Amino acid sequence: MTARAKPPESFDENPLFDAEFFARARPAAPGEAARLRGVLEQIVKAHEEGRSVDDAIAQARETLEVMK
């Protein structure tokens, strides 16, 4: 797995769920949760097997782009 740079000090990885968050939120489309679960399972499986997760992460990125 490739190393990532640390986020800036001001980065909040647990932001509050405020009005702006809910304004952008939307329900999952049919099959969307299953596709997301599938790509997440691929990442976990690659990690458990000691393989590079880069390909699985690339597939997850493609899936997320299609879902926009």
Side-chain angles (χ1 to χ4, degrees):
M1 181 164 34
T2 55
R4 290 195 217 175
K6 285 189 171 190
E9 290 291 326
S10 62
F11 179 74
D12 182 4
E13 66 181 57
N14 293 310
L16 295 175
F17 292 143
D18 57 7
E20 182 183 338
F21 171 83
F22 287 106
R24 293 187 325 253
R26 63 173 178 73
E32 193 171 42
R35 286 192 298 274
L36 291 172
R37 187 172 31 261
V39 294
L40 180 58
E41 287 172 350
Q42 290 176 10
I43 294 169
V44 171
K45 184 176 179 182
H47 176 71
E48 288 174 344
E49 293 174 355
R51 296 183 287 121
S52 170
V53 297
D54 291 343
D55 290 339
I57 290 173
Q59 178 64 41
R61 282 191 178 117
E62 289 176 20
T63 300
L64 290 172
E65 285 299 315
V66 169
M67 298 169 87
K68 283 186 176 179

